[in-house]
């Protein structure tokens, strides 16, 4: 249900979009702006020095834990408890795994 607050937010968003359109037209120089063109506000391409993927190194223990968890079929197996485990046992196993 529309409210005054929602209408205000929509107006602000629309105004911001209009301002961005005006700015991009001014930045692109003469001629019409096409939707597929990139203006001066485009994000810079990463240099070869910057890592584009995670280069974190993991311990063998961490790798083994992830492999073990991926093999599990349900949450009880991941925690290493029976399905009939009490709430206390579940919490204890969760805390142990979280460390």
């Amino acid at each position: 249900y529309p409210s005054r607050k929602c209408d205000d937010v929509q107006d602000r968003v629309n105004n911001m979009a209009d301002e961005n359109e005006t700015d991009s037209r001014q930045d692109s120089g003469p001629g019409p702006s096409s939707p597929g063109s990139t203006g001066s506000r485009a994000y810079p391409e990463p240099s070869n020095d910057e890592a584009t993927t995670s280069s974190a190194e993991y311990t063998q223990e961490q790798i083994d834990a992830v492999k073990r968890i991926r093999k599990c079929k349900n949450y009880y197996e991941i925690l290493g408890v029976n399905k009939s485990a009490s709430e206390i046992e579940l919490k204890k196993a969760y805390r142990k795994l979280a460390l």
Side-chain angles (χ1 to χ4, degrees):
Y1 299 95
S3 69
R4 180 69 187 145
K5 195 172 188 179
C6 289
D7 291 338
D8 289 343
V9 170
Q10 284 181 331
D11 290 341
R12 287 182 185 174
V13 170
N14 290 335
N15 289 339
M16 288 170 53
D18 291 342
E19 288 173 7
N20 286 339
E21 257 183 49
T22 303
D23 290 345
S24 66
R25 285 186 195 141
Q26 291 173 355
D27 291 343
S28 64
S33 171
S34 64
S37 67
T38 57
S40 62
R41 294 186 185 257
Y43 293 105
E45 291 292 322
S47 67
N48 291 339
D49 297 339
E50 295 177 13
T52 54
T53 59
S54 176
S55 62
E57 301 214 4
Y58 301 103
T59 64
Q60 189 60 41
E61 184 180 350
Q62 290 171 322
I63 294 170
D64 292 340
V66 170
K67 286 180 181 178
R68 183 185 70 78
I69 289 171
R70 285 189 171 184
K71 288 180 185 177
C72 296
K73 296 179 182 171
N74 61 42
Y75 296 119
Y76 296 101
E77 228 178 296
I78 292 171
L79 295 174
V81 296
N82 294 327
K83 288 187 178 184
S84 60
S86 69
E87 183 179 345
I88 294 170
E89 291 171 325
L90 288 171
K91 288 181 179 181
K92 183 178 179 181
Y94 178 80
R95 287 187 202 112
K96 182 179 176 183
L97 182 63
L99 292 175

